[in-house]
Every structure is written in structure tokens, then in C-alpha cells.
Coordinates of all heavy atoms in Angstrom, one line a residue:
L1222 N 2.7 -28.2 57.1 CA 2.8 -27.2 56.0 C 3.0 -27.9 54.7 O 2.4 -27.5 53.7 CB 4.0 -26.3 56.4 CG 4.2 -25.1 55.4 CD1 3.0 -24.3 55.5 CD2 5.4 -24.4 55.8
N1223 N 3.8 -29.0 54.6 CA 4.1 -29.7 53.3 C 2.8 -30.3 52.8 O 2.6 -30.5 51.6 CB 5.2 -30.7 53.5 CG 6.6 -30.0 53.4 OD1 6.6 -28.9 52.9 ND2 7.5 -30.7 53.8
S1224 N 2.1 -30.8 53.7 CA 0.9 -31.5 53.3 C -0.2 -30.7 52.7 O -0.9 -31.1 51.9 CB 0.3 -32.3 54.5 OG -0.2 -31.4 55.5
S1225 N -0.2 -29.4 53.0 CA -1.2 -28.5 52.4 C -0.6 -27.7 51.2 O -1.3 -27.4 50.2 CB -1.8 -27.6 53.4 OG -0.7 -26.7 53.9
A1226 N 0.7 -27.4 51.2 CA 1.3 -26.7 50.1 C 1.5 -27.5 48.8 O 1.3 -27.0 47.7 CB 2.7 -26.1 50.6
V1227 N 1.9 -28.7 49.0 CA 2.2 -29.6 47.8 C 0.9 -29.7 46.9 O 0.9 -29.6 45.7 CB 2.8 -30.9 48.2 CG1 2.9 -31.9 47.0 CG2 4.2 -30.7 48.8
P1228 N -0.3 -30.1 47.5 CA -1.4 -30.3 46.7 C -1.8 -29.0 46.0 O -2.2 -29.0 44.9 CB -2.5 -30.8 47.7 CG -1.8 -31.3 48.8 CD -0.5 -30.6 48.9
L1229 N -1.6 -27.8 46.7 CA -2.0 -26.5 46.1 C -1.0 -26.2 44.9 O -1.5 -25.7 43.9 CB -1.9 -25.5 47.2 CG -3.0 -25.4 48.1 CD1 -2.8 -24.3 49.2 CD2 -4.4 -25.2 47.5
L1230 N 0.2 -26.5 45.1 CA 1.2 -26.3 44.0 C 0.8 -27.3 42.8 O 1.0 -26.8 41.6 CB 2.7 -26.6 44.5 CG 3.2 -25.4 45.4 CD1 4.6 -25.9 45.8 CD2 3.3 -24.2 44.6
Q1231 N 0.4 -28.5 43.1 CA 0.2 -29.4 42.0 C -1.2 -28.9 41.2 O -1.2 -29.1 40.1 CB -0.1 -30.8 42.6 CG 1.1 -31.4 43.1 CD 0.8 -32.8 43.8 OE1 -0.4 -33.0 44.2 NE2 1.8 -33.5 44.0
I1232 N -2.0 -28.2 41.8 CA -3.2 -27.6 41.2 C -2.8 -26.4 40.3 O -3.3 -26.2 39.2 CB -4.3 -27.3 42.2 CG1 -4.8 -28.6 42.9 CG2 -5.4 -26.5 41.6 CD1 -5.8 -28.3 44.0
T1233 N -2.0 -25.5 40.9 CA -1.7 -24.3 40.2 C -0.7 -24.4 39.0 O -0.8 -23.6 38.0 CB -1.0 -23.3 41.2 OG1 0.1 -23.9 41.9 CG2 -2.0 -22.7 42.2
V1234 N 0.2 -25.4 39.1 CA 1.1 -25.6 37.8 C 0.4 -25.8 36.6 O 0.6 -25.2 35.6 CB 2.1 -26.8 38.2 CG1 2.9 -27.2 36.9 CG2 3.0 -26.3 39.4
P1235 N -0.7 -26.8 36.5 CA -1.4 -26.9 35.2 C -2.1 -25.6 34.8 O -2.3 -25.3 33.7 CB -2.3 -28.1 35.4 CG -1.8 -28.8 36.7 CD -1.0 -27.8 37.4
K1236 N -2.6 -25.0 35.9 CA -3.4 -23.7 35.6 C -2.5 -22.7 35.0 O -2.8 -21.9 34.1 CB -4.2 -23.3 36.8 CG -5.3 -24.1 37.1 CD -6.2 -23.5 38.3 CE -7.2 -24.5 38.6 NZ -8.3 -24.0 39.5
A1237 N -1.3 -22.5 35.6 CA -0.3 -21.6 35.0 C 0.1 -21.9 33.5 O 0.2 -21.1 32.7 CB 0.9 -21.6 35.9
S1238 N 0.3 -23.2 33.4 CA 0.6 -23.7 32.0 C -0.6 -23.4 31.1 O -0.3 -23.0 29.9 CB 0.8 -25.1 32.0 OG 1.0 -25.7 30.7
K1239 N -1.8 -23.6 31.5 CA -3.0 -23.3 30.6 C -3.0 -21.8 30.4 O -3.3 -21.4 29.2 CB -4.2 -23.7 31.5 CG -5.5 -23.4 30.7 CD -5.6 -24.4 29.5 CE -7.0 -24.2 28.9 NZ -7.1 -24.9 27.6
C1240 N -2.7 -20.9 31.4 CA -2.7 -19.5 31.2 C -1.7 -19.1 30.1 O -1.9 -18.2 29.3 CB -2.4 -18.7 32.5 SG -3.8 -18.6 33.6
E1241 N -0.5 -19.7 30.2 CA 0.6 -19.4 29.2 C 0.1 -19.8 27.8 O 0.3 -19.1 26.9 CB 1.8 -20.1 29.6 CG 2.5 -19.5 30.8 CD 3.7 -20.3 31.2 OE1 4.1 -21.3 30.5 OE2 4.3 -20.0 32.3
S1242 N -0.5 -20.9 27.8 CA -1.1 -21.4 26.4 C -2.1 -20.5 25.9 O -2.1 -20.2 24.7 CB -1.7 -22.8 26.7 OG -2.4 -23.2 25.5
L1243 N -3.1 -20.0 26.7 CA -4.0 -19.0 26.4 C -3.5 -17.8 25.9 O -3.9 -17.1 24.9 CB -5.1 -18.9 27.5 CG -6.0 -20.1 27.7 CD1 -6.9 -19.8 29.0 CD2 -6.8 -20.4 26.4
E1244 N -2.4 -17.2 26.6 CA -1.7 -16.0 26.3 C -1.1 -16.2 24.9 O -1.3 -15.2 24.1 CB -0.8 -15.7 27.3 CG -1.4 -15.1 28.7 CD -0.3 -14.8 29.7 OE1 0.9 -15.0 29.5 OE2 -0.7 -14.2 30.7
Q1245 N -0.5 -17.2 24.6 CA 0.2 -17.4 23.3 C -0.8 -17.5 22.2 O -0.7 -16.9 21.2 CB 1.0 -18.8 23.4 CG 1.8 -18.9 22.1 CD 2.8 -17.8 21.9 OE1 3.4 -17.3 22.9 NE2 2.9 -17.3 20.7
E1246 N -2.0 -18.2 22.5 CA -3.0 -18.3 21.5 C -3.6 -16.8 21.2 O -3.9 -16.5 20.0 CB -4.1 -19.2 22.1 CG -5.3 -19.5 21.1 CD -6.3 -20.4 21.6 OE1 -6.1 -21.1 22.6 OE2 -7.3 -20.5 21.0
K1247 N -3.8 -16.0 22.2 CA -4.3 -14.7 22.0 C -3.3 -13.9 21.2 O -3.7 -13.1 20.3 CB -4.4 -14.0 23.5 CG -4.9 -12.6 23.4 CD -5.1 -12.0 24.7 CE -5.5 -10.5 24.7 NZ -5.5 -9.9 25.9
I1248 N -2.0 -14.0 21.5 CA -1.0 -13.3 20.7 C -1.1 -13.8 19.2 O -1.0 -12.9 18.3 CB 0.4 -13.5 21.3 CG1 0.6 -12.9 22.6 CG2 1.5 -13.0 20.3 CD1 1.8 -13.2 23.4
N1249 N -1.1 -15.0 18.9 CA -1.3 -15.5 17.6 C -2.6 -15.0 17.0 O -2.5 -14.7 15.8 CB -1.2 -17.1 17.6 CG 0.1 -17.6 18.0 OD1 1.1 -17.0 18.0 ND2 0.0 -18.9 18.5
N1250 N -3.6 -15.0 17.6 CA -4.9 -14.5 17.1 C -4.8 -13.0 16.7 O -5.3 -12.6 15.7 CB -6.1 -14.8 18.0 CG -6.5 -16.2 18.1 OD1 -6.1 -17.0 17.2 ND2 -7.2 -16.6 19.1
Q1251 N -4.2 -12.2 17.6 CA -4.0 -10.9 17.4 C -3.2 -10.6 16.1 O -3.3 -9.7 15.3 CB -3.4 -10.1 18.6 CG -4.4 -10.0 19.7 CD -3.9 -9.4 21.0 OE1 -2.7 -9.5 21.3 NE2 -4.8 -8.8 21.8
S1252 N -2.1 -11.4 16.0 CA -1.2 -11.3 14.9 C -2.0 -11.6 13.6 O -1.9 -10.9 12.6 CB -0.1 -12.3 15.0 OG 0.7 -12.3 13.8
T1253 N -2.9 -12.6 13.6 CA -3.7 -12.9 12.4 C -4.6 -11.8 12.1 O -4.8 -11.5 10.9 CB -4.5 -14.2 12.8 OG1 -3.6 -15.3 13.0 CG2 -5.3 -14.6 11.6
I1254 N -5.2 -11.2 13.1 CA -6.2 -10.1 12.9 C -5.5 -8.9 12.3 O -5.9 -8.2 11.3 CB -6.8 -9.6 14.3 CG1 -7.8 -10.6 14.7 CG2 -7.4 -8.3 14.2 CD1 -8.3 -10.4 16.2
I1255 N -4.3 -8.6 12.8 CA -3.5 -7.5 12.2 C -3.2 -7.8 10.7 O -3.3 -6.9 9.8 CB -2.1 -7.3 13.0 CG1 -2.5 -6.7 14.3 CG2 -1.2 -6.3 12.2 CD1 -1.4 -6.6 15.3
Q1256 N -2.7 -9.0 10.3 CA -2.5 -9.4 9.0 C -3.8 -9.2 8.1 O -3.7 -8.7 7.0 CB -2.0 -10.9 8.9 CG -0.6 -11.0 9.4 CD -0.1 -12.5 9.5 OE1 -1.0 -13.4 9.4 NE2 1.1 -12.7 9.7
L1257 N -4.9 -9.7 8.6 CA -6.1 -9.6 7.8 C -6.5 -8.1 7.6 O -7.0 -7.7 6.5 CB -7.2 -10.3 8.5 CG -7.2 -11.9 8.5 CD1 -8.2 -12.6 9.4 CD2 -7.1 -12.4 7.1
Q1258 N -6.3 -7.3 8.6 CA -6.6 -5.8 8.5 C -5.8 -5.2 7.5 O -6.2 -4.4 6.8 CB -6.5 -5.1 9.9 CG -7.6 -5.5 10.9 CD -7.4 -4.9 12.2 OE1 -6.2 -4.6 12.6 NE2 -8.4 -4.7 13.1
E1259 N -4.5 -5.6 7.4 CA -3.6 -5.1 6.4 C -4.0 -5.5 5.0 O -4.0 -4.6 4.1 CB -2.1 -5.6 6.7 CG -1.5 -4.9 7.9 CD -0.1 -5.5 8.2 OE1 0.3 -6.5 7.6 OE2 0.5 -4.9 9.1
E1260 N -4.5 -6.7 4.8 CA -5.0 -7.2 3.6 C -6.3 -6.3 3.2 O -6.4 -6.0 2.1 CB -5.4 -8.7 3.6 CG -4.2 -9.6 3.6 CD -4.5 -11.0 3.7 OE1 -5.6 -11.4 3.1 OE2 -3.7 -11.8 4.3
V1261 N -7.1 -6.1 4.2 CA -8.4 -5.4 3.9 C -8.0 -4.0 3.4 O -8.6 -3.4 2.4 CB -9.3 -5.3 5.2 CG1 -10.3 -4.3 4.9 CG2 -9.8 -6.7 5.3
L1262 N -7.0 -3.3 4.0 CA -6.5 -2.0 3.7 C -6.0 -2.0 2.3 O -6.2 -1.0 1.5 CB -5.6 -1.4 4.7 CG -6.1 -1.1 6.0 CD1 -5.0 -0.6 7.1 CD2 -7.2 0.0 5.9
K1263 N -5.2 -2.9 1.9 CA -4.6 -3.0 0.6 C -5.7 -3.2 -0.4 O -5.7 -2.5 -1.5 CB -3.7 -4.2 0.5 CG -2.3 -4.0 1.1 CD -1.4 -5.3 1.1 CE -0.3 -5.1 1.9 NZ 0.7 -6.3 1.8
K1264 N -6.7 -4.0 -0.2 CA -7.8 -4.2 -1.1 C -8.6 -2.9 -1.3 O -8.9 -2.5 -2.4 CB -8.8 -5.3 -0.6 CG -8.1 -6.7 -0.7 CD -8.0 -7.2 -2.1 CE -7.5 -8.6 -2.1 NZ -7.1 -9.1 -3.5
K1265 N -8.8 -2.2 -0.2 CA -9.6 -0.9 -0.2 C -8.8 0.1 -1.1 O -9.3 0.8 -1.9 CB -9.9 -0.4 1.1 CG -11.0 -1.2 1.8 CD -11.4 -0.5 3.1 CE -12.7 -1.3 3.7 NZ -13.2 -0.7 4.9
D1266 N -7.5 0.1 -0.9 CA -6.6 1.0 -1.6 C -6.7 0.7 -3.2 O -6.8 1.6 -4.0 CB -5.2 0.9 -1.2 CG -4.9 1.7 0.1 OD1 -5.7 2.5 0.5 OD2 -3.9 1.5 0.7
E1267 N -6.6 -0.6 -3.5 CA -6.7 -1.0 -4.9 C -8.1 -0.5 -5.5 O -8.2 0.0 -6.6 CB -6.6 -2.5 -5.0 CG -5.2 -3.0 -4.8 CD -5.1 -4.5 -4.7 OE1 -6.1 -5.2 -5.0 OE2 -4.0 -5.0 -4.3
E1268 N -9.2 -0.8 -4.7 CA -10.5 -0.3 -5.2 C -10.5 1.2 -5.4 O -11.1 1.6 -6.4 CB -11.6 -0.7 -4.1 CG -11.9 -2.3 -4.1 CD -12.8 -2.7 -3.1 OE1 -13.5 -1.7 -2.4 OE2 -13.1 -3.8 -2.8
M1269 N -10.0 1.8 -4.4 CA -10.0 3.4 -4.6 C -9.3 3.8 -5.8 O -9.7 4.7 -6.5 CB -9.4 4.0 -3.4 CG -10.2 4.0 -2.0 SD -11.8 4.7 -2.2 CE -11.2 6.4 -2.2
N1270 N -8.1 3.2 -6.1 CA -7.3 3.5 -7.3 C -8.1 3.2 -8.6 O -8.1 3.9 -9.4 CB -6.0 2.8 -7.3 CG -5.0 3.3 -6.3 OD1 -5.1 4.5 -5.9 ND2 -4.1 2.5 -5.9
V1271 N -8.8 2.0 -8.6 CA -9.6 1.7 -9.7 C -10.8 2.8 -9.8 O -11.0 3.2 -11.0 CB -10.3 0.3 -9.5 CG1 -11.3 0.0 -10.6 CG2 -9.2 -0.7 -9.7
M1272 N -11.4 3.2 -8.8 CA -12.5 4.1 -8.8 C -11.9 5.5 -9.3 O -12.5 6.2 -10.1 CB -13.1 4.3 -7.5 CG -14.0 3.1 -7.1 SD -15.4 2.9 -8.2 CE -16.4 4.3 -7.7
K1273 N -10.8 5.8 -8.8 CA -10.1 7.1 -9.1 C -9.9 7.1 -10.7 O -10.1 8.1 -11.3 CB -8.8 7.3 -8.4 CG -8.2 8.6 -8.5 CD -6.9 8.6 -7.6 CE -6.1 9.9 -7.7 NZ -4.9 9.9 -6.9
Q1274 N -9.3 6.1 -11.2 CA -9.0 6.0 -12.7 C -10.3 6.1 -13.5 O -10.4 6.8 -14.5 CB -8.2 4.8 -13.0 CG -6.8 4.7 -12.5 CD -6.1 5.9 -13.0 OE1 -6.1 6.3 -14.2 NE2 -5.1 6.4 -12.1
A1275 N -11.4 5.4 -13.0 CA -12.7 5.4 -13.7 C -13.3 6.9 -13.6 O -13.8 7.3 -14.7 CB -13.6 4.4 -13.1
M1276 N -13.1 7.5 -12.5 CA -13.6 8.9 -12.4 C -12.9 9.8 -13.4 O -13.4 10.6 -14.0 CB -13.6 9.4 -11.0 CG -14.5 8.7 -10.1 SD -16.3 9.1 -10.5 CE -16.3 10.7 -10.0
K1277 N -11.5 9.7 -13.3 CA -10.8 10.5 -14.3 C -11.2 10.4 -15.8 O -11.3 11.3 -16.5 CB -9.3 10.2 -14.0 CG -8.6 10.8 -12.9 CD -7.1 10.4 -12.9 CE -6.4 11.1 -11.8 NZ -4.9 10.8 -11.8
Q1278 N -11.3 9.1 -16.1 CA -11.7 8.8 -17.5 C -13.1 9.4 -17.8 O -13.4 10.0 -18.8 CB -11.7 7.4 -17.8 CG -11.8 6.9 -19.3 CD -10.7 7.5 -20.0 OE1 -9.6 7.5 -19.7 NE2 -11.1 8.0 -21.2
T1279 N -14.0 9.2 -16.9 CA -15.4 9.7 -17.1 C -15.4 11.2 -17.2 O -16.0 11.7 -18.1 CB -16.3 9.3 -15.9 OG1 -16.3 7.8 -15.9 CG2 -17.7 9.9 -16.1
V1280 N -14.7 11.9 -16.3 CA -14.6 13.3 -16.4 C -14.0 13.8 -17.7 O -14.4 14.8 -18.4 CB -13.8 13.9 -15.1 CG1 -13.5 15.4 -15.3 CG2 -14.6 13.7 -13.9
K1281 N -12.9 13.2 -18.0 CA -12.2 13.5 -19.3 C -13.1 13.4 -20.5 O -13.3 14.2 -21.3 CB -11.0 12.5 -19.5 CG -10.2 12.9 -20.7 CD -9.0 12.0 -20.8 CE -8.2 12.3 -22.0 NZ -7.1 11.4 -22.2
N1282 N -13.9 12.2 -20.6 CA -14.8 12.0 -21.7 C -15.9 13.1 -21.6 O -16.3 13.6 -22.7 CB -15.4 10.6 -21.6 CG -14.5 9.6 -21.9 OD1 -13.4 9.7 -22.4 ND2 -14.8 8.3 -21.4
E1283 N -16.5 13.4 -20.5 CA -17.6 14.4 -20.4 C -17.1 15.7 -20.8 O -17.8 16.5 -21.5 CB -18.2 14.3 -19.0 CG -19.0 13.1 -18.7 CD -20.1 12.8 -19.6 OE1 -20.8 13.8 -20.0 OE2 -20.2 11.7 -20.0
I1284 N -15.9 16.1 -20.4 CA -15.4 17.5 -20.7 C -15.2 17.5 -22.2 O -15.5 18.5 -22.8 CB -14.1 17.7 -19.9 CG1 -14.5 18.1 -18.4 CG2 -13.4 18.9 -20.5 CD1 -13.4 18.3 -17.5
T1285 N -14.7 16.4 -22.8 CA -14.4 16.5 -24.2 C -15.7 16.6 -25.0 O -15.9 17.4 -25.9 CB -13.6 15.2 -24.6 OG1 -12.4 15.1 -23.9 CG2 -13.4 15.2 -26.0
S1286 N -16.7 15.9 -24.5 CA -18.1 15.9 -25.1 C -18.6 17.3 -25.0 O -19.2 17.8 -25.9 CB -18.9 14.8 -24.4 OG -20.3 15.0 -24.9
Y1287 N -18.6 17.8 -23.8 CA -19.0 19.2 -23.5 C -18.4 20.3 -24.4 O -19.0 21.0 -25.0 CB -19.0 19.5 -22.1 CG -19.5 20.9 -21.7 CD1 -20.9 21.1 -21.7 CD2 -18.6 21.9 -21.4 CE1 -21.3 22.3 -21.4 CE2 -19.1 23.2 -21.2 CZ -20.5 23.4 -21.1 OH -20.9 24.6 -20.9
A1288 N -17.0 20.1 -24.5 CA -16.3 21.1 -25.2 C -16.7 21.0 -26.7 O -16.8 22.0 -27.4 CB -14.8 20.8 -25.1
S1289 N -16.8 19.8 -27.3 CA -17.2 19.7 -28.7 C -18.6 20.2 -28.9 O -18.9 20.9 -29.9 CB -17.2 18.2 -29.1 OG -18.2 17.4 -28.5
V1290 N -19.6 20.1 -28.0 CA -20.9 20.7 -28.1 C -20.8 22.1 -28.1 O -21.5 22.9 -29.0 CB -21.9 20.1 -27.0 CG1 -23.2 21.0 -27.0 CG2 -22.2 18.7 -27.2
V1291 N -20.0 22.7 -27.2 CA -20.0 24.2 -27.1 C -19.3 24.8 -28.3 O -19.8 25.8 -28.9 CB -19.1 24.5 -25.8 CG1 -18.7 26.0 -25.8 CG2 -20.0 24.2 -24.6
T1292 N -18.2 24.1 -28.7 CA -17.6 24.6 -30.0 C -18.5 24.7 -31.2 O -18.6 25.6 -31.9 CB -16.4 23.7 -30.3 OG1 -15.5 23.6 -29.1 CG2 -15.6 24.2 -31.5
K1293 N -19.3 23.6 -31.4 CA -20.2 23.5 -32.5 C -21.3 24.5 -32.3 O -21.7 25.2 -33.2 CB -20.8 22.1 -32.6 CG -19.9 21.1 -33.1 CD -20.5 19.6 -33.1 CE -19.5 18.6 -33.5 NZ -20.1 17.3 -33.4
T1294 N -21.8 24.7 -31.1 CA -22.9 25.5 -30.9 C -22.5 27.0 -31.0 O -23.2 27.9 -31.7 CB -23.5 25.4 -29.5 OG1 -23.9 24.0 -29.4 CG2 -24.7 26.3 -29.2
C1295 N -21.4 27.4 -30.4 CA -20.8 28.7 -30.6 C -20.5 29.0 -32.0 O -20.6 30.2 -32.4 CB -19.6 28.9 -29.6 SG -20.1 28.9 -27.9
A1296 N -19.9 28.2 -32.7 CA -19.5 28.4 -34.1 C -20.8 28.9 -34.9 O -20.7 29.8 -35.8 CB -18.8 27.3 -34.7
T1297 N -21.8 28.1 -34.7 CA -23.1 28.5 -35.5 C -23.9 29.7 -34.9 O -24.4 30.5 -35.6 CB -24.1 27.2 -35.6 OG1 -24.4 26.9 -34.3 CG2 -23.4 26.1 -36.3
A1298 N -23.8 29.8 -33.6 CA -24.6 30.9 -33.0 C -23.9 32.2 -33.2 O -24.5 33.3 -33.3 CB -24.8 30.6 -31.5
L1299 N -22.6 32.2 -33.2 CA -21.8 33.5 -33.4 C -21.2 33.7 -34.8 O -20.2 34.4 -34.9 CB -20.7 33.5 -32.4 CG -21.1 33.4 -30.9 CD1 -20.0 33.4 -29.9 CD2 -22.1 34.6 -30.5
A1300 N -21.9 33.2 -35.8 CA -21.4 33.3 -37.1 C -21.6 34.9 -37.5 O -22.6 35.5 -37.0 CB -22.2 32.5 -38.1
P1301 N -20.6 35.4 -38.2 CA -20.8 36.9 -38.5 C -22.1 37.3 -39.2 O -22.6 38.4 -38.9 CB -19.6 37.1 -39.4 CG -18.6 36.0 -39.0 CD -19.5 34.8 -38.7
S1302 N -22.5 36.4 -40.0 CA -23.7 36.7 -40.7 C -25.0 36.9 -39.8 O -25.9 37.8 -39.9 CB -24.1 35.8 -41.8 OG -24.2 34.5 -41.3
D1303 N -25.0 35.9 -38.7 CA -26.1 35.9 -37.7 C -26.0 37.2 -36.9 O -27.0 37.7 -36.5 CB -26.1 34.6 -37.0 CG -26.5 33.4 -37.8 OD1 -27.0 33.5 -38.8 OD2 -26.1 32.3 -37.2
I1304 N -24.8 37.6 -36.5 CA -24.5 38.8 -35.6 C -25.1 40.0 -36.5 O -25.8 40.9 -35.9 CB -23.1 38.9 -35.2 CG1 -22.8 37.7 -34.3 CG2 -22.8 40.3 -34.5 CD1 -21.3 37.6 -33.9
G1305 N -24.7 40.0 -37.7 CA -25.1 41.2 -38.5 C -26.6 41.2 -38.7 O -27.2 42.4 -38.5
K1306 N -27.3 40.1 -38.9 CA -28.8 40.1 -38.8 C -29.4 40.6 -37.6 O -30.4 41.3 -37.6 CB -29.3 38.7 -39.2 CG -29.0 38.3 -40.6 CD -29.5 36.8 -40.8 CE -29.1 36.3 -42.2 NZ -29.5 34.8 -42.4
A1307 N -28.9 40.2 -36.5 CA -29.4 40.6 -35.2 C -29.2 42.0 -34.9 O -30.2 42.7 -34.4 CB -28.7 39.8 -34.1
V1308 N -28.1 42.6 -35.2 CA -27.9 44.1 -35.1 C -28.7 44.8 -36.0 O -29.4 45.8 -35.6 CB -26.3 44.3 -35.4 CG1 -26.1 45.9 -35.6 CG2 -25.4 43.7 -34.4
K1309 N -28.9 44.4 -37.3 CA -29.8 45.0 -38.2 C -31.3 45.1 -37.7 O -32.0 46.1 -37.7 CB -29.8 44.3 -39.5 CG -30.6 45.0 -40.7 CD -30.4 44.2 -42.0 CE -31.2 44.9 -43.0 NZ -31.1 44.2 -44.3
T1310 N -31.7 43.9 -37.1 CA -33.1 43.8 -36.5 C -33.3 44.8 -35.4 O -34.3 45.5 -35.2 CB -33.3 42.3 -36.1 OG1 -33.2 41.5 -37.2 CG2 -34.8 42.2 -35.6
V1311 N -32.3 44.8 -34.6 CA -32.4 45.8 -33.4 C -32.4 47.1 -33.9 O -33.2 48.0 -33.4 CB -31.2 45.5 -32.4 CG1 -31.1 46.6 -31.4 CG2 -31.4 44.1 -31.8
V1312 N -31.6 47.6 -34.8 CA -31.6 48.9 -35.3 C -32.9 49.3 -36.0 O -33.4 50.4 -35.8 CB -30.3 49.1 -36.3 CG1 -30.4 50.5 -37.1 CG2 -29.0 48.9 -35.6
E1313 N -33.5 48.4 -36.8 CA -34.8 48.6 -37.3 C -35.8 48.9 -36.3 O -36.7 49.7 -36.4 CB -35.1 47.5 -38.3 CG -34.3 47.5 -39.6 CD -34.5 46.3 -40.4 OE1 -35.4 45.3 -40.0 OE2 -34.0 46.1 -41.5
R1314 N -35.8 48.2 -35.3 CA -36.8 48.4 -34.2 C -36.6 49.6 -33.6 O -37.6 50.3 -33.3 CB -36.7 47.2 -33.2 CG -37.3 45.9 -33.5 CD -37.1 44.9 -32.3 NE -37.2 43.5 -32.8 CZ -36.8 42.4 -32.1 NH1 -36.2 42.7 -30.9 NH2 -36.9 41.3 -32.6
D1315 N -35.4 50.0 -33.3 CA -35.2 51.4 -32.7 C -35.6 52.4 -33.6 O -36.2 53.5 -33.2 CB -33.6 51.5 -32.3 CG -33.3 50.7 -31.1 OD1 -34.1 50.3 -30.4 OD2 -32.0 50.6 -30.9
E1316 N -35.5 52.3 -34.9 CA -35.8 53.3 -35.9 C -37.3 53.5 -35.9 O -38.0 54.5 -35.9 CB -35.3 53.1 -37.3 CG -33.8 53.3 -37.3 CD -33.3 53.0 -38.8 OE1 -34.1 52.5 -39.7 OE2 -32.0 53.2 -39.0
R1317 N -38.1 52.2 -35.9 CA -39.5 52.3 -35.8 C -40.1 53.0 -34.7 O -41.1 53.8 -34.7 CB -40.1 50.8 -35.9 CG -39.9 50.2 -37.3 CD -40.6 48.9 -37.3 NE -39.9 48.1 -38.4 CZ -39.8 46.7 -38.3 NH1 -40.1 46.1 -37.2 NH2 -39.3 46.1 -39.3
K1318 N -39.4 52.7 -33.6 CA -39.9 53.4 -32.2 C -39.7 54.9 -32.4 O -40.7 55.7 -31.9 CB -39.2 52.8 -31.1 CG -39.6 51.4 -30.6 CD -38.8 50.9 -29.5 CE -39.2 49.5 -29.1 NZ -38.4 49.0 -27.9
S1319 N -38.6 55.4 -32.9 CA -38.3 56.7 -32.9 C -39.2 57.4 -34.0 O -39.5 58.6 -33.8 CB -36.8 57.0 -33.2 OG -36.5 56.5 -34.4
N1320 N -39.6 56.8 -35.0 CA -40.5 57.3 -36.0 C -41.9 57.5 -35.5 O -42.6 58.3 -35.9 CB -40.5 56.5 -37.2 CG -39.2 56.6 -38.1 OD1 -38.5 57.5 -37.9 ND2 -38.9 55.6 -38.9
I1321 N -42.3 56.5 -34.6 CA -43.7 56.7 -34.1 C -43.7 57.8 -33.2 O -44.8 58.5 -33.2 CB -44.0 55.4 -33.3 CG1 -44.2 54.2 -34.3 CG2 -45.3 55.5 -32.6 CD1 -44.4 52.8 -33.7
I1322 N -42.8 58.1 -32.5 CA -42.8 59.2 -31.4 C -42.6 60.5 -32.2 O -43.3 61.4 -32.4 CB -41.6 59.1 -30.4 CG1 -41.8 57.8 -29.6 CG2 -41.6 60.2 -29.5 CD1 -40.8 57.5 -28.7

């Protein structure tokens, strides 16, 4: 029994040691992967914040630009003299139609 058990034990001890070594290496690799994934997430968050700020600024600029155009356009389009001319023209058309009939 000793003659067959001892050689088998001698073979399995290095293999067990190798398995332990591989398990530790796997744990270390997984730890590195987790750290790298955390770094990637941080970078993506930073990029999103930069994009968010850029979008806010763009929207703010566009709204300001649009508001100034609308203000200028409405001020000239709705001037009291222009409204009066439009009303007068419509009234004159209505009078001409009623005179024809």
C-alpha cells in the first residue's frame, strides 16, 4: 500500500500547489478587472457631465437667440400703425363687396 500511495501523493502535492497558484492568479486578475471597470465608469461619468454642460449651454444660447429674433419680429409686425393699416384695408374690402351687391 505504501509503495503505491507515496508516489501518487508526490504527484498530487505539486498539482494542488499549482491549483492554488492559479486560483490566486484568477482572484488577482478579477480584482484588476473590477478596478479597470470602475475607472471606465468614472471616465464615462465625466464625459456625460461634459456633454450635459455643453448641451445646457447650447440650449441656453439657442433659446436666447430665438427669443431675440421673436422679440424683434413681433415688435415690428405688431406695431400699432401696422395693425391700423391692416384693419383699414379689411374694412375697405368689406365696404367694396357690400357696395357691389
Side-chain angles (χ1 to χ4, degrees):
L1222 187 63
N1223 279 344
S1224 64
S1225 63
V1227 172
L1229 288 175
L1230 286 174
Q1231 289 174 344
I1232 293 173
T1233 50
V1234 169
K1236 289 187 179 188
S1238 174
K1239 180 69 174 173
C1240 283
E1241 289 174 9
S1242 167
L1243 290 173
E1244 285 177 359
Q1245 187 60 44
E1246 185 178 346
K1247 180 180 176 184
I1248 290 170
N1249 292 339
N1250 289 340
Q1251 287 174 335
S1252 175
T1253 302
I1254 289 171
I1255 290 170
Q1256 289 173 346
L1257 292 172
Q1258 287 174 337
E1259 288 173 352
E1260 287 180 30
V1261 167
L1262 288 175
K1263 286 179 186 176
K1264 292 290 183 185
K1265 285 186 178 184
D1266 282 344
E1267 290 173 8
E1268 288 177 10
M1269 289 297 290
N1270 287 334
V1271 168
M1272 290 295 291
K1273 187 177 177 181
Q1274 292 300 322
M1276 289 295 289
K1277 279 184 179 180
Q1278 190 61 40
T1279 301
V1280 169
K1281 182 179 177 182
N1282 291 343
E1283 292 300 318
I1284 287 176
T1285 303
S1286 173
Y1287 179 75
S1289 68
V1290 168
V1291 169
T1292 302
K1293 291 176 185 175
T1294 304
C1295 288
T1297 57
L1299 299 177
S1302 61
D1303 292 341
I1304 293 173
K1306 288 178 187 176
V1308 170
K1309 185 177 178 182
T1310 304
V1311 170
V1312 169
E1313 287 175 357
R1314 282 185 200 158
D1315 285 346
E1316 286 177 0
R1317 285 184 203 147
K1318 287 180 183 178
S1319 64
N1320 288 338
I1321 293 174
I1322 296 174

